[in-house]
Amino acid sequence: MDKNILQVAVIGGGAAGFFAAISAKTHHPEAKVTIYEKSNKLLSKVRISGGGRCNVTHHCFDIRELVKFYPRGERPLKKAFGRFSPTDTIAWFEKRGVKLKTESDGRMFPTTDNSQTIIDCLMKETQQLGIGIKTKTNIKKLKKTEGGYELSLDRGGRLHADKVVVATGGSPRPNGFDWLRELDHEIEEPVPSLFTFNMPDEPIKKLMGIAADPVSVKIMGSKLQSNGPLLITHWGMSGPAILKLSAFGARELNEKNYDFKVLVNWAGEKTEQEIRAILKEVAGEYGMKMIHNVNPFGLPGRLWEFLIGKLELGDAMIWQNMGKKNLNRLVHLLTNDEYQVQGKTTFKEEFVTCGGVSLQDVDMKTMQSRKSPNLYFAGEVLDIDGVTGGFNFQAAWTTGYIAGQLA
Ligand SMILES: Cc1cc2nc3c(=O)[nH]c(=O)nc-3n(C[C@H](O)[C@H](O)[C@H](O)COP(=O)(O)OP(=O)(O)OC[C@H]3O[C@@H](n4cnc5c(N)ncnc54)[C@H](O)[C@@H]3O)c2cc1C
């Protein structure tokens, strides 16, 4: 090994590791850059991401707005996005022949609708730059040495690197971070994010497949609240409104052992007063019609019938006979419809871990550890995670780019 050549080791062959390695070699062509991946597969999450289409980033170019999609990392990411933002991601891929398109909800995918396009682009770039790749190489320990780091392999043997980028992804097991704790890094306990709610005892499950949009959902006894589409599934509730709650409430809901009540406002952000006023108007205009035949909030018909059924007014009840008491019950039902959650199901499209290396220990302008010089972090190993929509990859591209540039 030539001692005069700067050795950069990137641990982890996922999105963040590849971007870090490419950035390191692009900014420091004289360095020897090597990716060490423990499995025999590279970029495996990129392959399965976005249902095989890879939701690369999000069509959001205002950094102040962008950071709001990150339950963990919101403020610290401002600095990092200032250096590499979704605009840079789009330009980076486009420069290498990969065009991205935007869907109506802002998610951005390659125009091929195939994650292989992203993998091919990253693989080609690493080959062209002469980046080394070693698979089946599990780094189990890092030790600070005078000139850098000694990397211990789990199958025995040691490697030297002057600079190290750790891009090992999230770990659901707290002891998965022990080797980083040994270097004095604070680890925020990992818990799942982006999951759906199980409601084993709730009859609403019989409406599986029905979606309502927009609804407003609150967790009872907490400040957690979100708006957006809600999907009823055969095990409970899912959809963007639920996933957002699961991400922003990842830690709180874990503490509740996933046993809590949700309150649904089926009329979105409308207040009780607004709903009451609309219902009174309906009762005046359609007084002789049966309640289940007039659906003032445009809810799916089967859902409206289900909700009305909960009031047990009888099928023949007409609007003008409802009376004040029942009108109040209907207002309450529409705005505070209560469901018991018991358990969670991991959202198969885009599962991420909340927790990881504490951002207190990382300089977000450089991604360098504050505890251990010449050690950098990128991607989901950090205590950063976003909601669904391409935000998690954007964090991986951004932190990988910066770590590689400055390593
Ligand atoms: C099914 C699914 C779909 C998703 N879809 C999307 C999407 O469309 N858009 C989006 O933005 N996000 C999506 N995500 C989230 C996104 O995939 C992750 O946030 C992102 O892949 C994190 O990248 P990373 O490089 O930090 O970690 P990873 O992709 O997890 O890569 C880490 C790599 O490090 C390796 N490694 C770990 N420890 C060691 C070690 N000690 N030595 C050597 N190697 C090691 C691992 O084997 C792994 O290959 C999805 C996630 C899942 C699970």
Side-chain angles (χ1 to χ4, degrees):
M1 189 174 69
D2 187 339
K3 290 238 182 267
N4 296 319
I5 296 180
L6 182 79
Q7 307 276 338
V8 180
V10 177
I11 311 177
F18 266 71
F19 230 61
I22 291 169
S23 171
K25 189 70 184 167
T26 309
H27 290 100
H28 310 282
E30 73 293 351
K32 184 170 186 305
V33 181
T34 312
I35 299 174
Y36 298 101
E37 165 57 47
K38 72 173 175 191
S39 71
N40 58 358
K41 293 195 190 95
L42 297 163
L43 298 166
S44 54
K45 277 201 196 161
V46 174
R47 186 178 305 281
I48 56 170
S49 65
R53 295 197 298 146
C54 187
N55 180 190
V56 177
T57 185
H58 201 90
H59 194 271
C60 178
F61 305 116
D62 178 342
I63 290 175
R64 278 167 308 176
E65 286 303 309
L66 182 63
V67 294
K68 290 187 189 155
F69 292 95
Y70 293 86
R72 264 84 32 201
E74 177 178 345
R75 279 193 38 215
L77 272 171
K78 275 188 192 154
K79 280 186 204 151
F81 285 142
R83 282 181 174 264
F84 196 89
S85 68
T87 312
D88 300 304
T89 304
I90 297 163
W92 192 93
F93 281 104
E94 192 149 341
K95 198 171 162 201
R96 289 154 184 86
V98 177
K99 267 199 175 323
L100 303 181
K101 59 168 181 173
T102 310
E103 305 218 321
S104 58
D105 56 5
R107 292 178 303 158
M108 298 193 73
F109 295 88
T111 50
T112 56
D113 274 329
N114 191 344
S115 58
Q116 191 62 42
T117 308
I118 302 299
I119 295 176
D120 290 345
C121 171
L122 294 170
M123 289 303 296
K124 191 170 159 204
E125 193 72 8
T126 47
Q127 275 155 17
Q128 279 175 353
L129 290 167
I131 292 168
I133 298 180
K134 299 253 189 283
T135 53
K136 295 194 207 153
T137 309
N138 188 354
I139 309 296
K140 63 163 204 206
K141 198 175 164 73
L142 277 180
K143 195 171 137 200
K144 239 189 282 182
T145 58
E146 229 175 74
Y149 287 89
E150 184 184 85
L151 288 64
S152 306
L153 311 187
D154 73 335
R155 57 178 145 89
R158 293 190 173 89
L159 300 162
H160 163 80
D162 300 297
K163 310 230 172 193
V164 176
V165 181
V166 176
T168 46
S171 169
R173 293 173 298 112
N175 63 3
F177 294 97
D178 282 353
W179 61 303
L180 299 171
R181 266 195 203 96
E182 281 169 21
L183 289 168
D184 261 3
H185 293 102
E186 194 70 40
I187 304 296
E188 301 295 343
E189 191 210 337
V191 298
S193 182
L194 296 178
F195 48 84
T196 63
F197 295 173
N198 293 356
M199 301 176 168
D201 299 329
E202 292 290 357
I204 196 164
K205 289 180 300 179
K206 68 182 180 210
L207 303 184
M208 64 187 156
I210 286 182
D213 181 21
V215 301
S216 176
V217 193
K218 277 192 230 163
I219 306 282
M220 220 165 152
S222 108
K223 287 192 180 138
L224 292 165
Q225 177 176 0
S226 82
N227 302 311
L230 181 147
L231 176 69
I232 299 162
T233 67
H234 67 274
W235 64 90
M237 288 180 183
S238 178
I242 298 295
L243 291 169
K244 254 187 270 169
L245 269 187
S246 79
F248 282 93
R251 219 162 268 295
E252 202 174 323
L253 301 182
N254 177 266
E255 276 157 22
K256 290 182 190 288
N257 206 16
Y258 307 104
D259 193 333
F260 52 89
K261 287 194 169 106
V262 290
L263 297 172
V264 182
N265 179 339
W266 294 104
E269 287 177 70
K270 287 196 177 62
T271 62
E272 282 197 12
Q273 278 130 314
E274 287 167 328
I275 290 173
R276 190 183 307 279
I278 292 170
L279 291 178
K280 277 187 178 162
E281 227 172 86
V282 167
E285 199 168 332
Y286 303 100
M288 295 305 288
K289 292 208 174 210
M290 282 186 283
I291 293 179
H292 62 91
N293 281 343
V294 182
N295 174 357
F297 300 100
L299 292 171
R302 282 179 58 212
L303 176 60
W304 177 244
E305 278 191 24
F306 172 83
L307 294 174
I308 296 299
K310 279 181 148 189
L311 296 179
E312 295 177 338
L313 300 173
D315 283 352
M317 173 67 87
I318 56 172
W319 280 94
Q320 79 173 20
N321 288 350
M322 194 157 60
K324 199 172 166 195
K325 192 169 151 219
N326 283 328
L327 187 87
N328 285 342
R329 287 174 67 217
L330 180 55
V331 171
H332 185 75
L333 177 80
L334 287 168
T335 49
N336 286 290
D337 195 15
E338 197 177 303
Y339 294 91
Q340 177 67 46
V341 177
Q342 285 168 286
K344 61 163 180 21
T345 299
T346 304
F347 182 56
K348 65 181 184 316
E349 290 295 312
E350 198 173 315
F351 166 70
V352 292
T353 321
C354 142
V357 175
S358 166
L359 302 186
Q360 307 256 17
D361 291 349
V362 180
D363 176 356
M364 292 297 285
K365 278 202 217 113
T366 61
M367 302 318 300
Q368 184 166 198
S369 161
R370 294 189 198 276
K371 295 283 171 73
S372 211
N374 296 321
L375 183 65
Y376 298 76
F377 292 101
E380 222 185 293
V381 67
L382 291 159
D383 183 27
I384 292 178
D385 60 272
V387 297
T388 59
F391 302 103
N392 286 302
F393 277 137
Q394 183 55 53
W397 311 133
T398 296
T399 52
Y401 184 88
I402 300 172
Q405 180 182 19
L406 296 157

